[in-house]
Amino acid sequence: MEQQGIDQRTTLSRVTTGMRVVDSAGVDVGTVDLVQRGDPNAVTVQAPTTDPGSSLDELIESATVEEPDVPADLAARLLRTGYLKVSTELVPTGAVYVLADQISTVTPTEVTLNTPATTLPPES
């Protein structure tokens, strides 16, 4: 199990923003928008608890979307394993998330997934 975590971190460290992402069937998913290394100690995602009427700064801060923008249980898993956010035309929200363990190979220009694009969770 620990070896897998090391492999996933190594794989993610070879990914850079702007790389092309292709799914297991060869479908062009999109381009990498964000690379987030995993944190095995990440347990939960806290929702902002600011009072939106307090000040302009707090209002802007409370409106800022935290990454990853997915349901809390999935967000916790993404934060633990590490993930990519991929800009794509395949979903209405314009982005999907790729878990580190869904990456098959990384070349200098391309990330290939071990799963079809249809299984990737879209941004909320």
Side-chain angles (χ1 to χ4, degrees):
M1 179 69 184
E2 183 56 37
Q3 184 62 41
Q4 183 181 7
I6 292 168
D7 291 346
Q8 288 173 3
R9 284 194 294 274
T10 303
T11 300
L12 280 175
S13 70
R14 295 173 32 222
V15 179
T16 56
T17 56
M19 290 176 90
R20 185 168 170 246
V21 178
V22 179
D23 79 356
S24 59
V27 173
D28 189 358
V29 178
T31 55
V32 176
D33 196 33
L34 173 73
V35 180
Q36 180 64 53
R37 288 199 175 91
D39 175 2
N41 300 321
V43 182
T44 60
V45 178
Q46 297 284 323
T49 55
T50 57
D51 173 12
S54 305
S55 72
L56 184 56
D57 286 342
E58 287 180 10
L59 178 60
I60 292 168
E61 191 176 309
S62 70
T64 303
V65 175
E66 295 289 323
E67 290 292 349
D69 187 14
V70 292
D73 56 337
L74 177 59
R77 190 167 156 222
L78 287 167
L79 291 169
R80 275 195 305 273
T81 62
Y83 65 90
L84 306 177
K85 181 177 181 179
V86 179
S87 296
T88 183
E89 306 275 320
L90 301 178
V91 296
T93 55
V96 292
Y97 292 93
V98 176
L99 284 139
D101 60 9
Q102 293 176 309
I103 298 170
S104 176
T105 57
V106 179
T107 70
T109 58
E110 187 174 278
V111 177
T112 304
L113 307 180
N114 60 19
T115 186
T118 55
T119 65
L120 301 173
E123 182 175 42
S124 295

